[in-house]
Amino acid sequence: MPNALAGNYQSTVRKPDDFDAFWDAVLRQASGVALEPEVIPDPLRTSEDVEVFQVFYTSIDQVRVAAWYCRPARRVERTPAIMVLPGYQMDPPIPKEWARKGYVALSVAPRGKLRSNRQFNPGYPNLLTHNIVDRHTYAYRGFYVDTWRGIDFLLSRPEVDPARLGVTGSSQGGGLTITTAAMRSEVRAAAAGAPYLCGFTDAIELTHTYPYEEITDYLRLHPERRAAVEETLAYFDGICFADRIACPIIVNIGLQDNVCPPETGYALYGRVGAADKRLYPYDGHGHDAGRARHSAVVDQFFARHLLGREVSQ
């Protein structure tokens, strides 16, 4: 089945000629925004082994972004860090488990999420189609930058080892992992699960589930805008970011996933530029993408690349 999916489906995604120029300009604009980090201890959520903080920082368009920040109570002076990125509708979790494994951990709530929606709140559904005909104002322009600015926050922390940064997430978090690893060269290892935001135009033909169905609903109401929608989405498609990824990366997909079709996962993986990459396809699994089995693989992967040690599965 994996070979059939990989070989029989040809992705329609084409990278725009000015893709890199567009995003490099966005990064330059974002870098000119003062981060203004705010780190607030959260004693009610802190335990003997993990310190928990609420974090806020400024992103592009002067939007304040919220996050959870956890660190081991007992740690070395410079500690490796993991940034955890959220699914489409989920509220970002407090990443205490990552801290218990020996990492400083940041869990970001990009604009529109519950703790980051005072200045931007298109709602759900609507995030996926908000200003979808203009790449300069499309919702995910700021949303992507909000996650990339999480790297800036980690680099600002004296307890974080800047040479040992990782990023991970599943579904939307998997898609954000792809774009972050592509655009932030400081990332040293990435683990993307069931990556959403990859192969938009392929996915709306392959599946009729939400969130991708939001695009179909939009085009049903505005059929005359299809060309503009497809033009915009090409700038935000993880497949177009993939060739910029240089760090070690693992990707896991479910071969029966009807939310993020596995064909798009294969197309993404084929475009990843990193020499050290591996795909884990899980037969018999849907959008969970074999998460229960794969979590041990992710632990081992980050331990090897960020902690410098092997962890048995």
Side-chain angles (χ1 to χ4, degrees):
M1 187 172 186
N3 289 336
L5 285 175
N8 294 342
Y9 192 83
Q10 297 299 315
S11 175
T12 64
V13 178
R14 298 291 178 267
K15 185 174 180 176
D17 291 340
D18 63 342
F19 179 92
D20 292 324
F22 171 75
W23 283 111
D24 289 344
V26 171
L27 270 185
R28 285 195 299 273
Q29 183 180 347
S31 68
V33 177
L35 192 65
E36 300 177 313
E38 186 178 5
V39 182
I40 304 170
D42 194 326
L44 288 178
R45 294 180 171 89
T46 292
S47 54
E48 288 186 5
D49 56 343
V50 176
E51 299 172 330
V52 179
F53 303 83
Q54 294 188 54
V55 160
F56 301 90
Y57 58 82
T58 304
S59 184
I60 201 167
D61 309 319
Q62 300 297 316
V63 171
R64 289 292 278 177
V65 174
W68 293 109
Y69 185 60
C70 297
R71 64 188 187 191
R74 291 171 290 280
R75 62 188 179 277
V76 296
E77 184 176 351
R78 288 288 197 172
T79 305
I82 297 281
M83 184 165 70
V84 182
L85 299 173
Y88 188 62
Q89 288 184 292
M90 68 178 291
D91 197 40
I94 302 173
K96 296 183 75 171
E97 289 306 310
W98 282 108
R100 291 191 174 102
K101 295 171 184 174
Y103 305 92
V104 168
L106 180 73
S107 179
V108 177
R111 63 190 65 195
K113 290 292 182 185
L114 184 60
R115 297 171 61 241
S116 304
N117 64 7
R118 291 185 180 180
Q119 295 162 274
F120 177 84
N121 188 18
Y124 297 88
N126 198 31
L127 176 66
L128 189 57
T129 56
H130 183 80
N131 289 347
I132 197 171
V133 295
D134 183 353
R135 64 182 180 273
H136 299 286
T137 58
Y138 182 42
Y140 273 99
R141 172 182 169 273
F143 203 89
Y144 283 0
V145 175
D146 295 349
T147 64
W148 305 342
R149 293 286 275 175
I151 298 296
D152 292 325
F153 173 81
L154 288 172
L155 292 172
S156 76
R157 301 300 302 168
E159 65 268 30
V160 169
D161 184 343
R164 293 188 290 169
L165 301 183
V167 60
T168 190
S170 190
S171 191
Q172 178 179 257
L176 295 172
T177 294
I178 295 298
T179 62
T180 304
M183 297 302 297
R184 298 304 305 253
S185 61
E186 301 92 342
V187 174
R188 293 295 184 262
Y196 172 60
L197 306 169
C198 298
F200 291 92
T201 54
D202 295 338
I204 62 175
E205 300 299 328
L206 290 164
T207 187
H208 298 288
T209 60
Y210 291 91
Y212 283 125
E213 191 70 3
E214 291 180 29
I215 298 173
T216 303
D217 291 342
Y218 181 90
L219 292 174
R220 190 179 299 117
L221 291 173
H222 306 287
E224 75 284 359
R225 298 179 185 175
R226 177 175 288 274
V229 167
E230 292 179 353
E231 180 182 352
T232 297
L233 290 177
Y235 288 88
F236 295 85
D237 200 306
I239 292 174
C240 296
F241 283 90
D243 63 351
R244 295 180 63 136
I245 298 174
C247 68
I249 183 169
I250 55 176
V251 179
N252 59 300
I253 59 175
L255 295 182
Q256 285 73 40
D257 191 344
N258 69 343
V259 177
C260 296
E263 292 91 339
T264 63
Y266 279 107
L268 165 71
Y269 181 76
R271 301 272 190 97
V272 170
D276 185 351
K277 63 179 182 177
R278 184 168 178 183
L279 179 68
Y280 293 82
Y282 288 93
D283 198 5
H285 289 266
H287 196 50
D288 69 292
R291 186 182 298 115
R293 293 164 56 191
H294 190 69
S295 60
V297 176
V298 173
D299 286 348
Q300 187 179 58
F301 172 78
F302 282 125
R304 182 167 65 253
H305 290 288
L306 301 184
L307 296 178
R309 58 183 172 83
E310 297 294 328
V311 173
S312 59
Q313 294 188 36

